[in-house]
Amino acid sequence: MEQINKQTLSEQIYQVLRGDILSQAIPCGSKLTLRMLRDRFGVSHTPIREALTRLAEDELVSYYSNVGVRVISLTADDARELFELTGDLDGLALRHACASPQRAALVAALGDVMRASAAALARGDAADWNRWSDRFHLTLYQYAGNRRLTAASERLLAQLTLLINAYRLHDGSAALIEREHRAVCDALEAGDDDRAGQLLRLHLDNDLRRTQTAIAAR
């Protein structure tokens, strides 16, 4: 039985379950029951229900009549919608960040991210590389200066992370993604923001094609 801090039951259960779902320790389509989770965490139903409600709000689980709660499954159509919307939001974040007084700080921060991700890739640390790959996109929102834009991206990122882990999309493609990120940074460093935006969109279009190929192969 896992030990949970009694002062923050709902939050801790939510974070544990969210992490397990995103990493696919709890696979897509898995049924989650109150009894199963009560046995796992050793707590009453109330904090478990609260945690499941938050996961449903994140659109990581769904409630079904006479079935209970299941982890979502993502299809090729879901992948298309996620990457198209992410492309739109990332492009908007990039435009806001480039137009801000912090443009130079954005370029410097992305450079730091690229050095860290390249180092992780070189030593074969897939988990660390995945974190830095996500950080590349999150940095755009950090410097965009728009809280609502950031909030919208966070829910999408969670579902994208789930999709990537469910289909092992980074297997064999990390080096390609790294080069695409590097191309965006190079355009920004050269002062060509329009080109950077085009390359960012191309990168996400390529991610979509890789995803669709992986899904079709299942």
Side-chain angles (χ1 to χ4, degrees):
M1 182 182 298
E2 296 193 23
Q3 295 300 311
I4 297 297
N5 184 330
K6 300 299 183 182
Q7 294 181 339
T8 56
L9 289 175
S10 176
E11 174 66 21
Q12 288 198 58
I13 293 169
Y14 165 76
Q15 291 295 343
V16 169
L17 292 177
R18 186 177 188 274
D20 284 353
I21 290 169
L22 294 186
S23 69
Q24 285 296 274
I26 300 177
C28 290
S30 297
K31 183 179 179 181
L32 302 176
T33 67
L34 289 175
R35 180 176 180 178
M36 172 201 310
L37 297 175
R38 184 189 62 198
D39 290 344
R40 176 178 178 180
F41 295 111
V43 300
S44 69
H45 288 167
T46 299
I48 293 172
R49 287 195 181 97
E50 292 172 355
L52 291 175
T53 296
R54 289 184 62 186
L55 290 169
E57 291 170 352
D58 291 342
E59 298 181 9
L60 294 176
V61 303
S62 297
Y63 283 94
Y64 293 96
S65 299
N66 302 320
V67 175
V69 178
R70 284 193 184 277
V71 177
I72 63 168
S73 295
L74 296 170
T75 66
D77 284 341
D78 292 320
R80 176 184 54 77
E81 291 179 359
L82 284 169
F83 277 107
E84 287 178 351
L85 184 52
T86 298
D88 291 340
L89 292 181
D90 278 13
L92 183 58
L94 178 63
R95 289 196 294 275
H96 278 293
C98 287
S100 78
Q102 297 192 76
R103 185 190 181 284
L106 165 70
V107 174
L110 287 174
D112 290 341
V113 169
M114 291 307 305
R115 283 186 287 275
S117 64
L121 185 63
R123 65 177 180 269
D125 189 336
D128 195 38
W129 180 83
N130 285 337
R131 285 190 290 271
W132 286 108
S133 180
D134 287 344
R135 180 72 65 83
F136 175 86
H137 293 271
L138 291 171
T139 300
L140 303 178
Y141 294 89
Q142 177 184 347
Y143 287 91
N146 188 309
R147 291 183 297 105
R148 288 175 174 79
L149 183 60
T150 300
S153 74
E154 287 173 349
R155 180 171 295 177
L156 280 178
L157 180 60
Q159 291 199 3
L160 279 175
T161 300
L162 173 59
L163 184 72
I164 287 165
N165 289 331
Y167 291 98
R168 301 181 64 83
L169 299 181
H170 282 164
D171 287 7
S173 63
L176 292 173
I177 295 170
E178 187 76 8
R179 287 198 293 271
E180 291 166 0
H181 286 175
R182 180 71 262 171
V184 174
C185 288
D186 288 345
L188 288 173
E189 289 172 358
D192 193 342
D193 296 348
D194 288 342
R195 177 64 175 160
Q198 293 166 3
L199 289 169
L200 180 63
R201 187 76 210 206
L202 178 61
H203 159 56
L204 289 162
D205 288 346
N206 288 340
D207 263 353
L208 174 58
R209 281 191 288 273
R210 287 187 283 263
T211 302
Q212 291 171 326
T213 299
I215 292 174
R218 286 294 181 96

